[in-house]
Amino acid sequence: MHADPNLYDYWPYEGRPRIEWPDGKKLAFWIAPNIEYYEFAPPPNPKRQPWPRGNPDIQGYSQRAWGNTVGHWRLMELLDKYGMRGSISLSVGLIDHHPEIIEACVERNWEFFSHGIYNTRFSYGMDPEQELAVIRDSIETVEKATGQRIRGYLAPALTHTESTLDLIAENDFWYTCDLFQDDQPQPIKTRTGRLVSMPYSLEVNDVITYSVMGYTPEQYTDILKRHFDQLLKEGAESGTVMCIPLHAYLVSQPHRLRIFEEALKHVAEHSDDVWITTGQEIAEHFRTHYWDQTIADIAARGVMTGGTGFAPAK
């Protein structure tokens, strides 16, 4: 076990060179609907139970099914109303189960990124060859179904190995959503490539606010607005990123969605200062214009430690 995973350098927020988003925008805003597929009877993994209440869990299974049957369609309609595209965190196996959802997202020019094959198949225990096979299958399967080359990655059920980030960087992924250390993009210390840590958020993730914290819809919307307002204020000097990660089986419930809409309306009302975009477009802009600047600033502060993830400099 490593004392520090060494995936990124400590980069103090104060005094960083500013990131300017397209058209001088202060904040880059993106929405990540998680379109997941949970198997009813997945293969066991000794390190984690697929269903927290035990297996099989017909209630949990049918609740997630509601998200794909009803909730996702309701959420798409809402995002359409505000002209916002989603960046789909996709259980790639869903392409075979519910192609209707994939087709509807393609029609809207939404982005897809990989969230593994199923959210009940974990990365724990995989060797690099097995994990590489999953990654390459994700690339090929999504490209065949949508015409898109995926550039982002969120590990299935947030499960990783020490090889995960190096493997996706070697396969020309541009960003990872699996780290939560910053409110701006940051270079990840991989063996090859230019892999960006993209601000994603657990704090404003509906799984945390509803399933863990038990907040009301009104409290969740208030949190989203305050989170947005603070990042927009700081973005004038720094250039910040805000993501709202969503799960249709939670946010799209009839008693929650209308209140959630108030948060989207709040964001849309500030569109003069906000770049409403996708994760891939944020990563591309950062890699093209600010990667070198960031590396130089970290080096100039004397905080660059060298080495790569799980392989510190000797």
Side-chain angles (χ1 to χ4, degrees):
M1 182 68 71
H2 300 272
D4 181 338
N6 197 42
L7 293 168
Y8 47 82
D9 288 313
Y10 170 67
W11 183 33
Y13 191 46
E14 181 70 22
R16 292 179 183 175
R18 180 171 181 256
I19 295 173
E20 184 172 299
W21 302 115
D23 300 321
K25 302 295 176 73
K26 303 170 185 174
L27 169 68
F29 174 83
W30 65 298
I31 298 176
N34 283 260
I35 302 184
E36 298 168 333
Y37 196 92
Y38 288 73
E39 300 160 288
F40 179 59
N45 186 301
K47 292 193 174 183
R48 182 170 168 179
Q49 286 276 353
W51 294 104
R53 295 192 330 132
N55 301 304
D57 186 349
I58 195 168
Q59 293 178 354
Y61 178 81
S62 60
Q63 184 190 31
R64 268 72 172 181
W66 181 92
N68 290 330
T69 305
V70 178
H72 177 67
W73 301 93
R74 191 174 281 158
L75 183 61
M76 278 199 300
E77 184 176 347
L78 180 62
L79 267 61
D80 286 348
K81 180 177 179 179
Y82 291 92
M84 296 177 178
R85 289 179 292 154
S87 293
I88 300 298
S89 171
L90 180 67
S91 292
V92 173
L94 184 134
I95 290 173
D96 294 329
H97 295 279
H98 302 312
E100 300 86 354
I101 293 178
I102 304 302
E103 292 166 5
C105 294
V106 170
E107 289 174 1
R108 288 165 169 78
N109 191 30
W110 286 16
E111 179 202 356
F112 296 88
F113 65 90
S114 177
H115 192 20
I117 304 301
Y118 292 117
N119 218 36
T120 40
R121 302 275 183 114
F122 308 134
S123 303
Y124 295 147
M126 286 188 179
D127 62 36
E129 288 71 25
Q130 292 171 320
E131 197 167 13
L132 179 60
V134 171
I135 291 168
R136 286 178 172 168
D137 179 74
S138 295
I139 296 170
E140 295 168 3
T141 302
V142 175
E143 191 158 12
K144 182 178 179 181
T146 71
Q148 286 190 28
R149 166 58 219 262
I150 52 174
R151 299 298 183 184
Y153 192 81
L154 177 68
L158 304 186
T159 61
H160 314 88
T161 72
E162 291 190 3
S163 301
T164 302
L165 297 181
D166 277 319
L167 289 173
I168 63 173
E170 289 166 9
N171 283 273
D172 203 18
F173 281 73
W174 295 353
Y175 70 95
T176 171
C177 302
D178 283 309
L179 303 170
F180 302 92
Q181 84 285 3
D182 216 302
D183 290 330
Q184 291 182 298
Q186 182 177 359
I188 295 301
K189 298 163 69 171
T190 52
R191 293 190 298 257
T192 61
R194 286 188 167 196
L195 184 67
V196 174
S197 175
M198 180 66 65
Y200 176 72
S201 185
L202 293 176
E203 291 291 325
V204 296
N205 190 315
D206 60 351
V207 166
I208 304 301
T209 55
Y210 286 135
S211 297
V212 179
M213 304 303 292
Y215 290 149
T216 67
E218 290 80 7
Q219 287 175 313
Y220 182 38
T221 290
D222 181 59
I223 288 168
L224 291 171
K225 288 181 177 178
R226 288 189 283 115
H227 198 88
F228 173 83
D229 289 345
Q230 183 67 30
L231 288 174
L232 180 59
K233 178 183 177 182
E234 294 178 11
E237 301 296 328
S238 60
T240 45
V241 174
M242 177 175 174
C243 177
I244 303 181
L246 296 171
H247 300 74
Y249 74 92
L250 293 169
V251 74
S252 297
Q253 294 291 342
H255 64 287
R256 290 174 175 155
L257 198 66
R258 185 183 62 78
I259 306 300
F260 172 71
E261 180 179 355
E262 294 177 11
L264 295 188
K265 183 179 179 182
H266 184 69
V267 172
E269 288 172 347
H270 293 81
S271 59
D272 287 349
D273 291 324
V274 179
W275 183 29
I276 301 172
T277 183
T278 65
Q280 179 174 329
E281 290 172 354
I282 297 170
E284 182 176 23
H285 187 81
F286 180 83
R287 284 161 44 102
T288 302
H289 301 288
Y290 294 101
W291 178 281
D292 293 337
Q293 170 184 289
T294 301
I295 295 291
D297 187 62
I298 294 171
R301 291 166 184 254
V303 294
M304 184 171 282
T305 59
T308 59
F310 303 101
K314 299 179 180 177

